[in-house]
Amino acid sequence: MKNTMEYKGYVGSIEFSEEDGVFFGKVQGIRSLISYEGTNASELITDFHGAVDDYLDLCEKEGQVPESAYKGSLNVRLGSELHKRAAVYAISQQQSLNSFIEEAVRDKLTAVNA
């Protein structure tokens, strides 16, 4: 089961509250809080799309550039020993630490999707 959905480049989470009997979520990867809900899958999707559209409309009206999720850079906390081991390995392979981490993530995702 997939617990995310996408619309216009934005990724939204999917959660369920048994207590309230509703599905809900929020747009991931941006600072702005964009949330949505629905009592079934169709309502959740419709409210997600509407929330994203409302956010984009508001940004346009206020002359602001909408936030982009997942811009391609991130901070990763590895711990000092793992950081050192990764850096030494990357150097031994004549590559940057960044390219080593990018390759490792790509390899892991390829294996997961295989």
Side-chain angles (χ1 to χ4, degrees), residues 15-107:
E15 299 185 51
F16 179 71
S17 169
E18 184 176 3
E19 183 179 324
D20 299 322
V22 298
F23 293 94
F24 64 96
K26 65 179 186 174
V27 173
Q28 303 294 302
I30 62 174
R31 289 181 303 243
S32 297
L33 176 59
I34 305 171
S35 60
Y36 43 88
E37 66 178 47
T39 57
N40 58 48
S42 181
E43 284 183 12
L44 183 71
I45 293 167
T46 299
D47 203 43
F48 170 55
H49 290 187
V52 170
D53 288 339
D54 288 347
Y55 169 70
L56 295 173
D57 288 345
L58 180 63
C59 288
E60 184 177 337
K61 286 177 186 172
E62 294 183 354
Q64 296 178 347
V65 177
E67 289 181 74
S68 296
Y70 312 112
K71 298 172 191 145
S73 65
L74 69 146
N75 293 321
V76 179
R77 292 176 184 85
L78 300 174
S80 60
E81 184 58 30
L82 187 57
H83 186 173
K84 177 183 173 183
R85 289 176 58 203
V88 168
Y89 179 83
I91 291 167
S92 75
Q93 300 299 304
Q94 298 181 334
Q95 67 183 140
S96 68
L97 181 56
N98 188 74
S99 65
F100 167 67
I101 292 170
E102 182 180 348
E103 181 181 294
V105 170
R106 184 176 287 110
D107 289 350

Side-chain angles (χ1 to χ4, degrees), residues 103-114:
E103 181 181 294
V105 170
R106 184 176 287 110
D107 289 350
K108 181 68 172 187
L109 293 175
T110 299
V112 168
N113 293 327

